[in-house]
Amino acid sequence: MPNSRPSHNILFLLAFILCGTLAFSQGNKQKQLESRRQELRREIQKINELRAQNKSKVKSQVSLIEDFNYKISVLSNLIKVTNQQANLITRQIGSNQKKITALRGELKQLKADYAAMLVKAYKSKNTQSRIMFLLSSNNFKQAYKRLQYIKQYSDYQKQQGETIKTKTFELQEVNKDLQNKKEDKKRLIADNKEIQKSLETERGQHQALMKVIQNNLSLYTSQIKRKQREAAKIDREIDRIIKAAIARSNKKAGKATSSKSFALTAEEKTLATKFISNRGKLPWPVERGVVRLGYGTQRHPIDKSLTIKSHGVRIATQKGAKVRAVFNGEVSEILRMKNVNPIVMIRHGNYLTIYKNLTNVSVKKGDKVSTKQTIGEVFTNPSNGESILSFTISKGTKTENPASWIYKM
């Protein structure tokens, strides 16, 4: 009977496990990238739909630049993700080709060993029958051992035959997988070429528009500054209202009114805990929309010397879009200011969600609201057809990035 090689078998097993783990990890990574790629494609589809809806409207240059910037950003991300997928597939193809080479070598050796074994068995059969081999034993114990040897040798032959079959099937499957991966890579490369064309078109239109703007930059800069002053005024009023609400809650609880956080009842603490536990899983405040402006301090797309201090996100959506509460809570304020569309503030314990630029508000101060309950509609600008919801999340007066709270924002 051939010698068993335990150390070789252990090394082979370890290599097999390592390859399996690597393949599983790569498979997971590929699924994540494909999921992200489909999200970005849906995002582009939503951008195109919104553009088509407002095609007949004359937008401001600033709005057009924001549109171009956003779509260019999404297209660039899509190209990046698609390239990552193609590179991962290239590595998988290389891994498969190495595996095919190793399997072919192993299969060749297995077949050679099996052929030699058959030749040896045939010669043994011609020179001495198995019965004579057993009868020539000196005693019963030796005969039993010889019988066991014959059986083991026969089993080993069968095992080798089955191993060859298994390896042959494995080689066929790896070859099939290799061909599928090559087709996937070809498809991704073709997709990327189309995306690249679209990106070049968007960049060309963006550059042409920026040239027009640069010719009269001072006018646009003054308009931007005026809008920023208006936005800052609204933010100051919201901040004042929140501070007043915090002071009232502390006074009611018999605490110092100078405190910067809400004094919570047992019910409000439970609500805040539930709100926090849903971080990253909260629904969007509109059913369909794209983030036109993200959270945080950033350079202005028109005048790079100016900065935007965004305390929330601006979401572009379709005309008549319903605005939804993102979580259970209580309407703490409906703010109405001169020349400003209604703003709804909903409190969730010590957190607040703020919805700006509404119309047809369907709730009032003190109302209890539930997750996804309609609280109004997004106001649509009649001159350019844009429906933009400004959405903010804050803990007390300190704002937080909505993208950390809203599902896949």
Side-chain angles (χ1 to χ4, degrees):
M1 181 179 168
N3 292 330
S4 61
R5 294 175 288 178
S7 60
H8 179 271
N9 290 343
I10 290 168
L11 287 172
F12 180 79
L13 181 63
L14 287 171
F16 179 79
I17 292 169
L18 182 63
C19 287
T21 304
L22 184 62
F24 180 76
S25 174
Q26 288 181 335
N28 270 354
K29 180 66 175 174
Q30 191 65 265
K31 284 179 183 177
Q32 289 170 5
L33 287 171
E34 180 60 21
S35 175
R36 178 62 180 146
R37 192 171 76 93
Q38 293 305 327
E39 282 174 20
L40 290 167
R41 291 184 77 87
R42 286 192 292 271
E43 195 85 349
I44 290 167
Q45 185 181 349
K46 285 189 282 186
I47 293 168
N48 292 339
E49 285 172 1
L50 289 171
R51 278 187 178 182
Q53 286 176 11
N54 299 329
K55 199 171 183 180
S56 60
K57 302 291 183 179
V58 179
K59 287 190 177 183
S60 69
Q61 308 289 44
V62 175
S63 292
L64 288 170
I65 285 295
E66 285 179 350
D67 277 350
F68 283 127
N69 281 347
Y70 184 66
K71 190 169 182 182
I72 286 168
S73 171
V74 176
L75 286 169
S76 299
N77 282 333
L78 182 55
I79 288 170
K80 182 181 175 181
V81 169
T82 308
N83 281 335
Q84 286 175 337
Q85 276 188 282
N87 291 337
L88 182 57
I89 288 175
T90 300
R91 291 196 293 274
Q92 289 172 332
I93 287 170
S95 177
N96 273 13
Q97 286 172 334
K98 286 179 183 177
K99 194 173 181 181
I100 287 168
T101 302
L103 278 170
R104 281 176 178 164
E106 194 178 343
L107 199 53
K108 185 179 178 182
Q109 188 60 50
L110 281 169
K111 287 179 178 178
D113 291 345
Y114 190 65
M117 192 189 306
L118 291 177
V119 170
K120 187 177 179 183
Y122 179 76
K123 287 180 178 179
S124 175
K125 186 177 179 181
N126 287 342
T127 56
Q128 185 180 29
S129 69
R130 291 181 181 182
I131 295 172
M132 289 303 297
F133 180 60
L134 291 171
L135 292 175
S136 65
S137 303
N138 294 326
N139 51 51
F140 178 77
K141 187 177 180 181
Q142 189 182 59
Y144 178 75
K145 283 185 176 181
R146 288 185 177 185
L147 182 64
Q148 288 292 101
Y149 174 80
I150 290 168
K151 185 177 180 302
Q152 287 175 1
Y153 196 82
S154 176
D155 288 345
Y156 185 71
Q157 280 182 308
K158 289 177 184 176
Q159 183 188 334
Q160 286 292 88
E162 288 301 318
T163 302
I164 288 169
K165 284 182 186 177
T166 302
K167 291 293 177 186
T168 301
F169 177 75
E170 189 180 347
L171 180 60
Q172 289 169 348
E173 289 299 303
V174 174
N175 264 316
K176 194 188 295 182
D177 187 54
L178 176 63
Q179 292 306 315
N180 289 339
K181 282 183 168 55
K182 285 181 176 178
E183 288 300 315
D184 287 345
K185 185 179 177 182
K186 193 187 295 183
R187 175 177 54 81
L188 286 170
I189 290 170
D191 280 356
N192 240 10
K193 284 181 180 177
E194 291 302 313
I195 300 163
Q196 193 69 47
K197 284 181 187 176
S198 181
L199 179 61
E200 286 169 5
T201 300
E202 294 290 328
R203 280 178 173 161
Q205 292 175 344
H206 176 271
Q207 288 168 2
L209 184 58
M210 282 302 293
K211 282 182 181 177
V212 173
I213 290 170
Q214 290 299 324
N215 290 335
N216 202 0
L217 185 60
S218 59
L219 174 65
Y220 290 105
T221 300
S222 63
Q223 290 175 354
I224 291 164
K225 285 180 177 179
R226 178 174 54 79
K227 286 187 177 181
Q228 285 184 334
R229 286 193 297 272
E230 290 170 359
K233 183 181 177 182
I234 294 168
D235 287 338
R236 283 195 300 273
E237 182 60 15
I238 289 171
D239 190 65
R240 185 194 66 76
I241 290 169
I242 294 172
K243 284 177 179 176
I246 290 172
R248 283 196 302 273
S249 73
N250 281 282
K251 185 178 180 180
K252 189 176 179 181
K255 296 181 179 179
T257 55
S258 58
S259 175
K260 293 183 179 179
S261 58
F262 285 98
L264 303 180
T265 63
E267 185 183 351
E268 289 168 341
K269 283 179 182 177
T270 301
L271 181 61
T273 301
K274 288 179 180 177
F275 186 78
I276 292 166
S277 68
N278 279 276
R279 188 184 185 101
K281 296 181 285 187
L282 296 175
W284 282 59
V286 288
E287 191 174 348
R288 288 176 63 81
V290 293
V291 176
R292 174 80 75 76
L293 178 70
Y295 176 84
T297 301
Q298 50 211 281
R299 284 185 179 179
H300 199 281
I302 300 290
D303 187 339
K304 301 298 180 183
S305 67
L306 299 177
T307 57
I308 301 171
K309 291 181 180 179
S310 176
H311 297 300
V313 292
R314 287 215 306 264
I315 302 169
T317 186
Q318 70 266 34
K319 184 179 180 180
K322 304 294 183 186
V323 181
R324 316 179 300 181
V326 298
F327 200 71
N328 300 338
E330 181 182 327
V331 178
S332 61
E333 192 71 45
I334 296 175
L335 178 59
R336 287 182 169 89
M337 300 171 65
K338 188 179 178 181
N339 300 323
V340 176
N341 290 312
I343 298 166
V344 174
M345 300 168 66
I346 299 176
R347 189 175 155 201
H348 319 272
N350 54 344
Y351 285 88
L352 292 113
T353 51
I354 301 162
Y355 312 76
K356 302 177 188 175
N357 197 36
L358 272 59
T359 186
N360 298 327
V361 175
S362 54
V363 291
K364 61 184 183 299
K365 185 176 179 178
D367 281 356
K368 298 284 186 182
V369 294
S370 56
T371 305
K372 290 188 178 181
Q373 180 180 328
T374 299
I375 60 172
E377 291 180 11
V378 181
F379 174 77
T380 298
N381 189 322
S383 62
N384 58 26
E386 287 189 324
S387 306
I388 307 290
L389 173 71
S390 291
F391 176 72
T392 304
I393 294 180
S394 69
K395 184 179 182 181
T397 56
K398 187 178 179 183
T399 61
E400 297 194 9
N401 189 351
S404 302
W405 289 86
I406 305 298
Y407 180 69
K408 290 186 176 180
M409 179 170 276

